[in-house]
Amino acid sequence: MNFSHLLLCSVPKKEKLLEYGFCQQGDVFVLKKNLDNEFYAVVEYQPDSLNVQVFEIETDEKYALLDVKNARGAFVNGIRSKVSDLVSNIVENCFESADLKSQYIEWLESYLKTKGDYPWEDKENFAVYRCSNSKWFALVMRIKFKNLGFESDEPVWVVNLKADAEKIPMLVDKKSIFPAWHMNKKYWITVVLTAVTDFEKLKELTLRSKQLVEK
């Protein structure tokens, strides 16, 4: 099972991973842990991915149904639930999380003196921040990780910003900055409002977006 989307929300602490029981092999951290009396999980973290495989204790054979999307039933769902519980426990104990959304909104309102407005009915998940010319330079929204290319329906707060077209290929790292979701990818980017995003870089990108839109 692929849990790489969690790396967009929180930053792993290597010393905590080692304390938890992970073994380090270069940039790769590996944990082997029994799920029950029949199966064990192998959790592998590296800078760009977090994956879990499950094996039978008696035979060491991989439990292939875990990654078959169409596989359903109480048994396979039970294994998936145990894997998810293990990963949640690892994240709780070994990762540092931070939601930048509130901090970012506060900065927009205090430094840029702008209040969000809500052009759509879904006011809880979307807010637009505009320049003096009434055009928006920041679209704050809550979307799903799968909208960024990950296999997860979990929500994440992001902001769409305008950027210099020639710089976008260099800006997009698919870790904190992504091709714009639901906007022109040639001129816009999507930045996640989580612990993986450098707040100073976020402010810099926002100021540049405002400059470009005001032009």
Side-chain angles (χ1 to χ4, degrees):
M1 294 177 69
N2 190 328
F3 292 89
S4 298
H5 67 278
L6 296 176
L7 301 178
L8 299 184
C9 299
S10 50
V11 179
K13 295 299 179 181
K14 294 181 180 180
E15 65 278 7
K16 294 292 186 181
L17 291 172
L18 295 174
E19 289 176 10
Y20 194 89
F22 279 81
C23 295
Q24 185 174 3
Q25 303 168 2
D27 289 334
V28 181
F29 290 77
V30 178
L31 173 73
K32 179 180 177 180
K33 194 171 183 67
N34 286 356
L35 295 175
D36 51 33
N37 294 327
E38 297 183 60
F39 296 94
Y40 67 87
V42 175
V43 184
E44 182 179 287
Y45 159 72
Q46 48 188 313
D48 295 326
S49 64
L50 180 64
N51 289 284
V52 182
Q53 293 182 319
V54 171
F55 300 85
E56 293 184 27
I57 292 176
E58 185 175 341
T59 63
D60 286 326
E61 290 186 6
K62 182 179 177 181
Y63 184 64
L65 285 179
L66 189 71
D67 294 314
V68 179
K69 292 182 178 180
N70 294 330
R72 296 289 184 270
F75 189 81
V76 65
N77 287 339
I79 297 296
R80 287 176 178 146
S81 178
K82 291 176 182 178
V83 170
S84 296
D85 288 345
L86 173 60
V87 172
S88 295
N89 190 261
I90 291 171
V91 170
E92 181 180 348
N93 286 278
C94 307
F95 284 58
E96 183 179 279
S97 301
D99 182 358
L100 296 183
K101 188 245 185 178
S102 297
Q103 183 182 356
Y104 183 61
I105 297 301
E106 182 180 346
W107 177 78
L108 287 171
E109 295 181 351
S110 62
Y111 186 79
L112 295 183
K113 309 299 181 184
T114 179
K115 292 279 188 180
D117 64 74
Y118 310 94
W120 303 287
E121 290 184 6
D122 191 356
K123 296 182 179 181
E124 292 185 359
N125 295 313
F126 296 90
V128 167
Y129 293 82
R130 302 179 187 271
C131 301
S132 56
N133 60 11
S134 296
K135 294 182 179 180
W136 73 50
F137 67 90
L139 170 58
V140 175
M141 53 190 169
R142 183 164 55 181
I143 62 176
K144 294 181 179 180
F145 278 109
K146 68 180 182 182
N147 298 132
L148 300 176
F150 295 88
E151 296 179 5
S152 173
D153 286 323
E154 293 181 43
V156 60
W157 283 102
V158 302
V159 59
N160 275 7
L161 300 170
K162 194 168 188 179
D164 297 281
E166 68 278 8
K167 294 182 179 179
I168 287 180
M170 294 176 286
L171 288 172
V172 171
D173 57 11
K174 293 189 177 180
K175 296 177 181 178
S176 61
I177 303 175
F178 293 79
W181 180 74
H182 225 275
M183 293 182 72
N184 191 325
K185 293 175 174 56
K186 183 178 178 180
Y187 300 106
W188 292 80
I189 55 176
T190 293
V191 185
V192 294
L193 299 177
T194 69
V196 298
T197 297
D198 180 88
F199 196 69
E200 294 302 315
K201 181 67 174 180
L202 175 60
K203 291 192 290 185
E204 176 187 321
L205 291 170
T206 302
L207 291 173
R208 183 56 181 159
S209 178
K210 191 170 184 290
Q211 289 174 348
L212 290 169
V213 174
E214 285 177 333
K215 287 183 179 180

